[in-house]
């Protein structure tokens, strides 16, 4: 692996200094070179001179996807066009897509971060990395390829789709690592079994991301592909793309590269930081990004920070897997609840399936009520429903701090829905 542009850090103190320095640089850079950021800071009555250390971060205004779209096609641009060497985009769920610019240094930083991911996943330069994610305007394919080359392993850039070519490469080139989305990984696991190729491929690891996934999905993918382990990789186009963090071999959360960006976790309602370990919205501030720096950018993604040093000894801090979108949050009797937390709990509860519905309404006493409808697991005994419901009610009260009524429905009694389907029905 070639020497990265940013030297490695050894202690948390060094990391803090790096962050403070990067924060000062980013704020001065954005203020001097982006009319958008200058206006925002003027409106918030803050200048680069006010930002001296990490505590001052909270004086800066937030930015959002809406700001990106209003600035279409080159939002947050903070360098002259002569310095922009590439763009990537992501689709907005509504309106124009988000376009993000990169300078050559941004591309190099991204490659360095991504190479670090491959290193953390325990790859060597002898590994053959088959890339099954999208190339083109998306950040995924370009990012995996760039990182693989910077790391020094061999990239096999197949892209998504075309299973025949994938299996041809897996068998003939004996690729050892597969990079894919969770659903592509599952599809390839099923196809490996269907084609009877388990003993003819040489995969050892899967690096997968871009979607929420359950532990069950992950185990099925690992088993079907016959790999030793898999690694969850987060990615956000606004923040370079994938490669800004990865799980380590202990699989206890995602180490994120805090020498390239600061992560805050806030309550999406009050915009105040949540207590340590509580679920909230991820807000990122970049420390080196030139073309389109992010200052307190609200990602809408939910997670929680994981405190304490990881058993692997890496000083880079960790956050949990993504637990959904902050737009899905609801409040019941003053408690913030995220559907992802309910998903997570139900995926561990053997007596029920993964489908559920939340119904919020008001009782005769005018107080808010929450009903959780779940499905009995296949083959489970309906006479156990009452004790199952009581157990779930008790667990949710303990873990989410909400009181709710659980109704157990028949197996497959709830409507089958798409991934982004509506599960919360607010009738208040
Ligand atoms: Zn670790």
């Amino acid at each position: 692996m070639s020497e990265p542009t940013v030297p490695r850090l050894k202690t948390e103190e060094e990391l803090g200094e790096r962050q403070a320095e990067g924060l000062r640089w980013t704020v001065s850079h954005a203020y001097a070179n982006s009319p958008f950021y200058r206006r925002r800071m003027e409106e918030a009555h803050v200048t680069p001179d006010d930002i001296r250390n990490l505590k001052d971060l909270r004086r800066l205004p937030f930015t959002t996807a809406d700001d990106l779209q209003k600035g279409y096609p080159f939002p947050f641009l903070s360098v002259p066009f002569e310095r922009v060497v590439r763009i990537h985009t992501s689709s907005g769920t509504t309106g124009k897509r988000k376009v993000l610019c990169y300078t050559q240094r941004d591309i190099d930083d991204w490659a360095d971060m991504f190479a670090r991911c491959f290193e953390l996943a325990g790859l060597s330069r002898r590994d053959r990395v088959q890339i099954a994610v999208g190339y083109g305007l998306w950040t995924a394919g370009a990012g995996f390829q760039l990182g693989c080359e910077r790391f020094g392993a061999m990239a096999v850039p197949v892209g998504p789709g075309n299973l025949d070519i994938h299996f041809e490469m897996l068998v003939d080139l004996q690729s050892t690592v597969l990079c894919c989305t969770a659903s592509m990984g599952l599809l390839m696991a099923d196809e490996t079994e269907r084609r009877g190729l388990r003993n003819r491929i040489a995969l050892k690891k899967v690096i997968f991301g871009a979607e929420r996934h359950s532990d069950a999905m992950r185990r099925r993918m690992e088993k079907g592909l016959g790999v030793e382990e898999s690694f969850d990789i987060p990615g956000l186009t606004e923040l370079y793309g994938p490669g800004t963090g990865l799980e380590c071999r202990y699989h206890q959360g995602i180490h994120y590269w805090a020498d390239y960006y600061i992560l805050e976790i806030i309550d999406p309602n009050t915009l105040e930081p949540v207590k340590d370990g509580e679920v909230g919205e991820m807000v990122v501030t970049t420390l080196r990004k030139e073309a389109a720096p992010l200052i307190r950018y609200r990602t809408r993604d939910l997670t929680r920070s994981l405190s304490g040093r990881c058993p692997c000894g890496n000083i880079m801090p960790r956050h949990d897997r993504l637990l959904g979108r902050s737009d899905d949050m609801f409040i019941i009797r003053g408690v913030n609840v995220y559907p992802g937390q309910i998903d997570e709990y139900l995926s561990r509860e053997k007596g029920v399936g993964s489908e559920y519905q939340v119904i919020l309404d008001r009782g005769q006493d005018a107080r808010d009520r929450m009903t959780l409808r779940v499905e009995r697991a296949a083959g489970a005994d309906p006479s156990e429903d009452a004790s199952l419901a009581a157990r779930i009610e008790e667990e949710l009260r303990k873990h989410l701090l909400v009181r709710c009524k659980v109704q157990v429905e028949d197996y497959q009694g709830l409507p089958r829905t798409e991934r982004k389907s509506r599960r919360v029905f607010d009738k208040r």
Side-chain angles (χ1 to χ4, degrees):
M1 191 171 151
S2 58
E3 201 52 37
T5 325
V6 175
R8 295 294 174 93
L9 301 171
K10 292 194 180 63
T11 65
E12 272 97 350
E13 290 69 36
E14 283 178 329
L15 179 57
E17 283 162 29
R18 176 74 55 80
Q19 288 189 327
E21 190 188 309
L23 176 63
R24 287 190 293 268
W25 177 82
T26 295
V27 171
S28 311
H29 168 65
Y31 187 86
N33 299 306
S34 152
F36 165 78
Y37 276 122
R38 178 182 288 251
R39 194 174 65 246
R40 271 303 163 83
M41 285 188 236
E42 281 169 358
E43 282 163 8
H45 306 291
V46 52
T47 69
D49 289 340
D50 299 322
I51 308 302
R52 294 195 192 87
N53 57 44
L54 293 175
K55 283 203 293 291
D56 297 324
L57 178 62
R58 291 184 58 189
R59 303 179 62 173
L60 292 162
F62 290 101
T63 49
T64 62
D66 203 36
D67 295 323
L68 274 178
Q69 281 172 338
K70 280 188 192 132
Y72 185 86
F74 299 113
F76 300 177
L77 186 67
S78 304
V79 295
F81 278 104
E82 300 88 288
R83 296 204 52 222
V84 175
V85 299
R86 196 196 290 177
I87 60 111
H88 280 291
T89 77
S90 73
S91 58
T93 36
T94 53
K96 285 287 188 186
R97 57 179 70 238
K98 301 167 190 160
V99 182
L100 278 301
C101 294
Y102 299 70
T103 64
Q104 185 57 50
R105 193 182 87 176
D106 294 335
I107 298 284
D108 288 339
D109 283 346
W110 187 20
D112 288 337
M113 280 191 279
F114 220 132
R116 205 189 265 181
C117 293
F118 286 127
E119 186 187 352
L120 195 70
L123 270 65
S124 81
R125 297 175 77 153
R126 298 177 61 86
D127 273 299
R128 299 173 178 187
V129 181
Q130 190 155 321
I131 300 165
V133 295
Y135 280 79
L137 287 172
W138 311 108
T139 49
F144 275 99
Q145 172 125 10
L146 193 66
C148 180
E149 290 169 355
R150 178 65 55 97
F151 177 73
M154 184 175 95
V156 183
V158 181
N162 208 325
L163 289 172
D164 290 339
I165 299 182
H166 269 296
F167 283 101
E168 183 188 331
M169 295 292 123
L170 286 174
V171 172
D172 294 353
L173 302 190
Q174 296 284 288
S175 303
T176 53
V177 179
L178 179 69
C179 305
C180 56
T181 59
S183 50
M184 180 69 176
L186 266 181
L187 178 67
M188 288 187 63
D190 292 346
E191 273 298 300
T192 305
E193 288 186 341
R194 202 178 65 79
R195 298 180 186 215
L197 292 174
R198 265 283 289 284
N199 298 324
R200 296 181 55 202
I201 64 174
L203 283 179
K204 291 190 177 64
K205 293 176 169 137
V206 176
I207 299 175
F208 72 98
E211 294 162 328
R212 276 170 64 195
H213 61 277
S214 66
D215 289 337
M217 266 172 89
R218 185 165 174 170
R219 280 192 298 272
R220 212 174 99 211
M221 176 177 76
E222 289 174 349
K223 189 164 165 283
L225 291 168
V227 298
E228 293 153 10
E229 27 177 10
S230 61
F231 298 86
D232 185 4
I233 190 164
L236 184 72
T237 306
E238 297 93 308
L239 185 64
Y240 301 92
T244 51
L246 191 81
E247 288 183 346
C248 68
R249 64 183 191 279
Y250 287 91
H251 305 286
Q252 295 176 13
I254 291 159
H255 286 283
Y256 64 93
W257 310 142
D259 46 349
Y260 287 85
Y261 63 101
I262 296 172
L263 176 65
E264 296 173 88
I265 299 187
I266 63 160
D267 181 319
N269 280 311
T270 64
L271 305 182
E272 294 294 321
V274 297
K275 286 199 212 80
D276 206 26
E278 270 179 23
V279 176
E281 180 179 330
M282 300 171 80
V283 172
V284 292
T285 300
T286 56
L287 302 172
R288 286 176 59 82
K289 208 161 175 273
E290 293 183 323
L294 301 179
I295 294 179
R296 302 198 86 194
Y297 180 72
R298 294 185 58 185
T299 65
R300 305 280 167 191
D301 284 323
L302 298 170
T303 192
R304 64 186 142 224
S305 65
L306 300 172
S307 54
R309 182 76 77 86
C310 180
C312 77
N314 195 314
I315 63 158
M316 288 297 159
R318 289 171 298 152
H319 64 75
D320 205 345
R321 74 172 83 176
L322 301 187
L323 296 168
R325 307 277 299 161
S326 61
D327 315 278
D328 300 333
M329 186 190 84
F330 59 89
I331 301 178
I332 176 111
R333 298 188 185 184
V335 180
N336 295 345
V337 181
Y338 307 99
Q341 295 172 289
I342 299 174
D343 280 359
E344 201 193 12
Y345 169 70
L346 291 179
S347 73
R348 290 197 303 261
E349 169 59 62
K350 293 210 171 18
V352 295
S354 57
E355 293 294 327
Y356 68 89
Q357 283 184 350
V358 171
I359 293 128
L360 304 169
D361 61 6
R362 232 162 235 148
Q364 285 179 339
D365 59 358
R367 297 189 67 180
D368 289 352
R369 293 189 306 197
M370 169 174 157
T371 308
L372 176 66
R373 298 176 69 202
V374 296
E375 279 181 8
R376 194 181 305 123
D381 182 357
S383 70
E384 304 282 322
D385 284 359
S387 62
L388 176 65
R391 185 166 75 235
I392 298 174
E393 285 168 9
E394 174 63 16
E395 287 292 316
L396 293 180
R397 193 183 59 74
K398 264 198 328 228
H399 296 294
L400 305 189
L401 308 174
V402 289
R403 279 177 198 283
C404 70
K405 175 124 194 64
V406 172
Q407 275 176 20
V408 182
E409 312 283 343
D410 286 339
Y411 174 59
Q412 298 198 326
L414 292 175
R416 282 292 168 279
T417 45
E418 294 300 316
R419 193 160 58 87
K420 290 194 170 175
S421 66
R422 205 165 139 231
R423 285 177 156 156
V424 179
F425 298 86
D426 198 340
K427 299 173 175 169
R428 293 173 291 185

